[in-house]
Amino acid sequence: MNRRMIFYMVGNIVLLEAVLLLLPTIVALIYQEMNGVNAFSITILIAAAVGAGLKIVFRPSSRVIYAKEGFIIVTFAWILLSLLGCLPFIISREIPDFFDAFFETASGFTTTGASIVRDVESMSYGMLFWRSFTHWLGGMGVLVLIMAILPSDSGRAIHIMRAEMAGPVIGKIVPRIRETAKILYYIYLALTVIEFFFLWAGNMPVFDSAVHALGTAGTGGFGIKADSIASYSPYLQWVITIFMILFGINFNLYYLLLLRKFKTVFTNRELWFYAGVILVSVSIITYSIYPIYNNFSDSVRHSFFQVTSIVSTAGFSTADFNLWPDLAKGVLFILMFLGGCAGSTAGGLKLSRVIILFKAVRKDVRHLLHPRSVAAVRFEGKTLDSATLHGVTTYFALYIILIAVTFLVLSFEPSFDLQSNLTASVTCCNNVGPGLGLVGPMEGFGGYSWFSKFVLTFAMLFGRLEIYPILLAFYPKTWTKK
């Protein structure tokens, strides 16, 4: 194992965080928030010292990265990013408790959007910007950004990308991995900027437009108002709805559109399944909530917004769906598991895995009926080998175990009921944000104990990195030389 390269790369990532912290510092300066400026400045110095120290002490003789190193780099980088990223909240005393600040920052980087802050409108502009900016950084992946801006001496940097980007299959869309990372970030940045201008054109203030564009792009969901998006106009809600849908789509498809490979894009089964899930869910919820609003237009708007918010795991809200009928809440609960497309910024199980699981079950049923038959599972025009099928089913088993263990730990909390604990587990493991009950869209996670918050923080990290990187990083045999 190339241990030196692991910590050297983590040092690069921490140095990048120090540079990126200049943006919220500038925002704090613009709004003359000197407390925030001091907090960000101190954090920048600490991050720069830690990053430079790691690079100097662990300068590697070989820069080759294999899959094992990729998993460990991603795990350590995300944990350290969250630990250092929570310092501005603690130093400024806006979130003075370490476990609260760590939870909030990890929720930002993992694009979960679950929050412990009750009075969000009292927070400074600099801190609000940093919360939403962590969404944007975590959406596409900080290490993907590193690969886009720094040349890599390793031909195996794809291992880092596969470890950080969500979905069962991650590959290069062009031969060079650095060019792949650049293309992904160009598309990501372009969509973010386009959304910003659409929001601004709808008379949303510049600051509000910026933080909501960042939050939507990362499918994160940190709001800057107590009612999330509810107080904004229907036009602005529709703009955010459309972009939540767009950011839940596989980014490779956008590149194929640029290459004018329209047939490949519009025959993509995951894309059609994604559209079908949204339309069916919207139809059911519109029917369910129509008696509440007694207005078809409002019912469709709220249904579309909440469905796309949950399935893309953005987590914004225009209404307190805790007050909706059980049918509507049941549909939203199921959507918390599904998530968006592979290769998007959305969390959840991923629709590609859901499709493969259904196809695998159908294959097994056919085999039971016709034991001598040989059936193959095909996805997107390709036959999936047994290793891929095994990987998907194993991941699903680990995914269920993660949710079950998190739920079991939360069940020791005396102040929270079963619905709240269950949906808190599901929403954090799937990086969705709001749950139901006491962790609903107009509530928060601040009532949990420090231990439960710590468990939920790692549940969010497990969900964002899709379990295996963290398991391997803390598995003792991973560190053996053989």
Side-chain angles (χ1 to χ4, degrees):
M1 177 186 288
N2 194 345
R3 291 179 175 84
R4 286 186 166 272
M5 187 58 183
I6 290 171
F7 294 105
Y8 180 83
M9 279 297 296
V10 172
N12 272 331
I13 294 153
V14 172
L15 283 176
L16 177 63
E17 184 177 30
V19 174
L20 294 171
L21 278 161
L22 290 171
L23 280 176
T25 307
I26 293 170
V27 172
L29 277 170
I30 291 172
Y31 289 97
Q32 299 180 348
E33 298 167 345
M34 297 315 297
N35 185 41
V37 171
N38 293 333
F40 287 121
S41 299
I42 293 169
T43 305
I44 289 170
L45 291 175
I46 294 172
V50 172
L54 288 171
K55 288 193 67 175
I56 292 169
V57 173
F58 295 100
R59 187 177 297 275
S61 56
S62 170
R63 300 197 176 190
V64 174
I65 298 172
Y66 293 96
K68 187 161 57 173
E69 284 88 349
F71 284 126
I72 297 172
I73 289 168
V74 167
T75 299
F76 285 0
W78 278 70
I79 293 174
L80 197 52
L81 283 170
S82 298
L83 286 170
L84 291 170
C86 76
L87 292 180
F89 297 120
I90 297 172
I91 295 169
S92 67
R93 307 299 294 172
E94 294 200 30
I95 306 179
D97 182 81
F98 166 75
F99 291 101
D100 284 353
F102 186 42
F103 179 97
E104 196 79 7
T105 310
S107 179
F109 276 117
T110 60
T111 73
T112 304
S115 180
I116 53 84
V117 179
R118 295 303 299 267
D119 187 13
V120 68
E121 294 181 30
S122 68
M123 294 187 74
S124 64
Y125 286 99
M127 295 300 162
L128 288 173
F129 182 85
W130 176 235
R131 287 169 85 236
S132 296
F133 191 41
T134 57
H135 281 333
W136 194 84
L137 293 172
M140 187 59 66
V142 184
L143 278 83
V144 177
L145 178 59
I146 279 279
M147 286 185 285
I149 62 178
L150 293 179
S152 174
D153 297 330
S154 170
R156 297 181 176 86
I158 186 67
H159 294 307
I160 295 179
M161 192 170 181
R162 283 175 176 157
E164 185 175 53
M165 290 201 67
V169 179
I170 293 295
K172 295 181 282 187
I173 56 179
V174 292
R176 292 174 61 86
I177 187 62
R178 188 184 179 198
E179 294 305 313
T180 297
K182 278 186 176 180
I183 289 168
L184 290 173
Y185 256 99
Y186 285 149
I187 295 170
Y188 189 46
L189 179 61
L191 286 172
T192 307
V193 172
I194 292 169
E195 183 187 358
F196 167 81
F197 281 110
F198 270 104
L199 293 173
W200 184 48
N203 295 321
M204 183 181 276
V206 172
F207 179 81
D208 296 30
S209 299
V211 293
H212 286 110
L214 293 171
T216 307
T219 59
F222 276 151
I224 60 172
K225 293 183 180 295
D227 61 2
S228 189
I229 311 296
S231 58
Y232 292 105
S233 69
Y235 164 81
L236 295 173
Q237 293 175 8
W238 275 115
V239 169
I240 293 174
T241 298
I242 292 167
F243 277 93
M244 286 190 295
I245 294 172
L246 294 177
F247 282 108
I249 294 172
N250 191 327
F251 274 67
N252 288 0
L253 297 183
Y254 294 127
Y255 180 65
L256 293 174
L257 281 177
L258 295 175
L259 297 178
R260 298 185 178 181
K261 295 185 177 181
F262 302 115
K263 184 178 179 180
T264 305
V265 173
F266 293 111
T267 56
N268 183 274
R269 290 199 173 186
E270 187 182 31
L271 178 62
W272 283 105
F273 187 50
Y274 180 58
V277 165
I278 291 174
L279 290 175
V280 170
S281 301
V282 168
S283 300
I284 296 171
I285 292 179
T286 299
Y287 164 78
S288 178
I289 67 173
Y290 179 78
I292 296 176
Y293 296 99
N294 202 27
N295 181 292
F296 183 73
S297 174
D298 288 346
S299 300
V300 170
R301 174 166 50 86
H302 288 303
S303 298
F304 243 113
F305 189 97
Q306 219 51 69
V307 166
T308 55
S309 179
I310 297 298
V311 79
S312 70
T313 70
F316 289 121
S317 59
T318 58
D320 187 359
F321 52 78
N322 250 335
L323 305 176
W324 286 1
D326 287 342
L327 175 60
K329 290 191 287 186
V331 172
L332 293 177
F333 180 65
I334 292 171
L335 294 179
M336 289 179 188
F337 290 89
L338 298 183
C341 301
S344 70
T345 61
L349 185 59
K350 301 296 180 300
L351 295 178
S352 56
R353 284 198 183 95
V354 175
I355 295 170
I356 292 170
L357 283 168
F358 276 127
K359 285 178 173 286
V361 170
R362 186 175 65 179
K363 174 195 170 186
D364 288 345
V365 170
R366 285 180 176 177
H367 184 71
L368 288 172
L369 293 173
H370 307 285
R372 294 184 180 181
S373 65
V374 179
V377 174
R378 294 179 62 81
F379 181 67
E380 304 297 359
K382 297 178 182 178
T383 300
L384 301 181
D385 56 29
S386 58
T388 302
L389 290 175
H390 178 74
V392 171
T393 53
T394 303
Y395 176 81
F396 181 68
L398 288 173
Y399 165 83
I400 296 299
I401 291 170
L402 173 64
I403 293 174
V405 170
T406 306
F407 170 64
L408 182 62
V409 173
L410 296 187
S411 297
F412 286 96
E413 289 279 350
S415 303
F416 288 80
D417 57 21
L418 185 145
Q419 177 184 241
S420 302
N421 288 330
L422 177 59
T423 56
S425 305
V426 172
T427 196
C428 285
C429 291
N430 288 290
N431 307 129
V432 176
L436 296 170
L438 298 176
V439 292
M442 303 306 167
E443 304 294 334
F445 289 71
Y448 279 110
S449 66
W450 69 267
F451 182 72
S452 292
K453 288 173 188 171
F454 190 70
V455 170
L456 288 170
T457 299
F458 271 88
M460 290 187 284
L461 288 166
F462 267 104
R464 174 58 181 85
L465 300 181
E466 301 206 321
I467 302 175
Y468 283 108
I470 298 180
L471 282 183
L472 288 173
F474 292 101
Y475 183 54
K477 290 188 177 180
T478 305
W479 294 88
T480 58
K481 292 184 178 180
K482 293 184 180 180

